Amino acid sequence: MLRLTTTWIRRNLVVIAGLLTLAYLVLPNIIVMVFSFNKPAGRFNYSWREFSTEAWKDPCGVADMCDSLSLSLWIALWATIGATLLGSMIAFALVRYRFRARGAINSLIFLPMAMPEVVMAASLLTLFLNLGAELGPTTILIAHTMFCLSFVVVAVKARVMSMDPRLEEAAKDLYAGPVQTFLRVTLPIAAPGIAAGAMLAFALSFDDFIITNFNSGNTVTFPMFVWGSAQRGTPVQINVIGTAMFALAVVVVVAGQIISGRRRKSALPK
């Protein structure tokens, strides 16, 4: 029996390690989800007391929380659009064209990803102050777009590099113009990489605290609201918003996998 158990563990060691790692990553989200149904005795929602759905019935019951949430969503949306458009164009340029500064740009793209956030935040603050810009939502949006740009470039670049150029050549042989080739062939193939970069940019922008804290002025985003609330007491509504965002992310990922699986099945010969 012991030998059979040992053999089974050896054969499934990678699967077991993967499941344990996944459980370790998901555990904080489960705790947030559980405590969103808690009714704490005091200001801090750190210990379980009583099951309640009051926070779910009134998620905006805490003053200024939903305002900061809507601001974070607005900034994340526009930062994602800007970073995705610029990052996709940069990725295509780096893969498809040869120019003198290509190697240097490839190296510079990784600097924001490798650089500590506090260094980038301080650098952006210095830039804004030297330009005389007023700190607020606009400076946060510019900072988030610059921060997310590198992640979009890397995601899209990996997808573009894996594309078969013969597909575009075949479209040209069939008398498709440059715009038609891009819309009908290139863009659909690159779409998964662009979507992955966009989702990563949105998550990074919505979740960012360090860069936002340096360049926000008197503006309060949702991460800054959570940080400030932790000093005075953590309302249950924060867990409600966190649970809703986590559930939304899971739905988007699962829907993407289902759509991708259906496309693969429809592409198979019958």
Side-chain angles (χ1 to χ4, degrees), residues 180-203:
Q180 192 175 13
T181 301
F182 178 78
L183 294 177
R184 295 287 186 88
V185 179
T186 308
L187 187 59
I189 297 175
I194 297 174
M199 288 190 291
L200 182 59
F202 184 87

Side-chain angles (χ1 to χ4, degrees), residues 164-178 180-182 184-186 189:
D164 190 351
R166 291 176 296 181
L167 296 175
E168 294 172 300
E169 294 174 1
K172 293 176 182 178
D173 290 339
L174 294 172
Y175 302 101
Q180 192 175 13
T181 301
F182 178 78
R184 295 287 186 88
V185 179
T186 308
I189 297 175

Side-chain angles (χ1 to χ4, degrees), residues 64-76 206 222:
D64 299 328
M65 190 185 73
C66 282
D67 291 337
S68 64
L69 175 63
S70 61
L71 178 62
S72 288
L73 291 173
W74 181 86
I75 292 174
F206 179 82
F222 185 68

Side-chain angles (χ1 to χ4, degrees), residues 112-228:
M113 302 173 64
M115 185 186 302
E117 268 193 72
V118 66
V119 176
M120 187 173 184
S123 302
L124 287 168
L125 176 61
T126 304
L127 173 64
F128 292 138
L129 292 178
N130 287 331
L131 293 175
E134 182 180 355
L135 300 180
T138 303
T139 55
I140 297 174
L141 176 59
I142 296 172
H144 282 199
T145 303
M146 294 179 66
F147 171 65
C148 298
L149 186 62
S150 296
F151 295 90
V152 176
V153 172
V154 172
V156 178
K157 183 182 173 184
R159 181 65 179 178
V160 175
M161 291 179 66
S162 65
M163 292 172 56
D164 190 351
R166 291 176 296 181
L167 296 175
E168 294 172 300
E169 294 174 1
K172 293 176 182 178
D173 290 339
L174 294 172
Y175 302 101
V179 176
Q180 192 175 13
T181 301
F182 178 78
L183 294 177
R184 295 287 186 88
V185 179
T186 308
L187 187 59
I189 297 175
I194 297 174
M199 288 190 291
L200 182 59
F202 184 87
L204 289 171
S205 175
F206 179 82
D207 184 58
D208 184 78
F209 173 78
I210 297 176
I211 293 177
T212 305
N213 190 35
F214 272 75
N215 300 279
S216 61
N218 296 323
T219 304
V220 179
T221 60
F222 185 68
M224 295 180 65
F225 178 86
V226 173
W227 179 80

Side-chain angles (χ1 to χ4, degrees), residues 2-101:
L2 180 61
R3 182 177 296 178
L4 291 175
T5 304
T6 305
T7 303
W8 183 86
I9 292 175
R10 287 179 178 177
R11 289 179 177 176
N12 299 276
L13 185 60
V14 175
V15 177
I16 294 172
L19 291 175
L20 290 175
T21 304
L22 181 63
Y24 176 76
L25 293 173
V26 175
L27 181 61
N29 298 289
I30 295 176
I31 294 175
V32 169
M33 190 182 304
V34 171
F35 276 83
S36 68
F37 295 96
N38 186 29
K39 187 177 182 180
R43 295 179 301 168
F44 295 95
N45 186 26
Y46 296 153
S47 57
W48 182 263
R49 177 176 171 266
E50 180 185 348
F51 179 85
S52 174
T53 58
E54 291 181 5
W56 282 93
K57 293 177 181 178
D58 189 16
C60 294
V62 180
D64 299 328
M65 190 185 73
C66 282
D67 291 337
S68 64
L69 175 63
S70 61
L71 178 62
S72 288
L73 291 173
W74 181 86
I75 292 174
L77 175 63
W78 286 106
T80 299
I81 293 174
T84 303
L85 290 175
L86 294 173
S88 299
M89 289 189 289
I90 293 172
F92 272 96
L94 291 174
V95 174
R96 296 294 180 84
Y97 298 96
R98 299 292 182 267
F99 47 92
R100 186 170 298 177

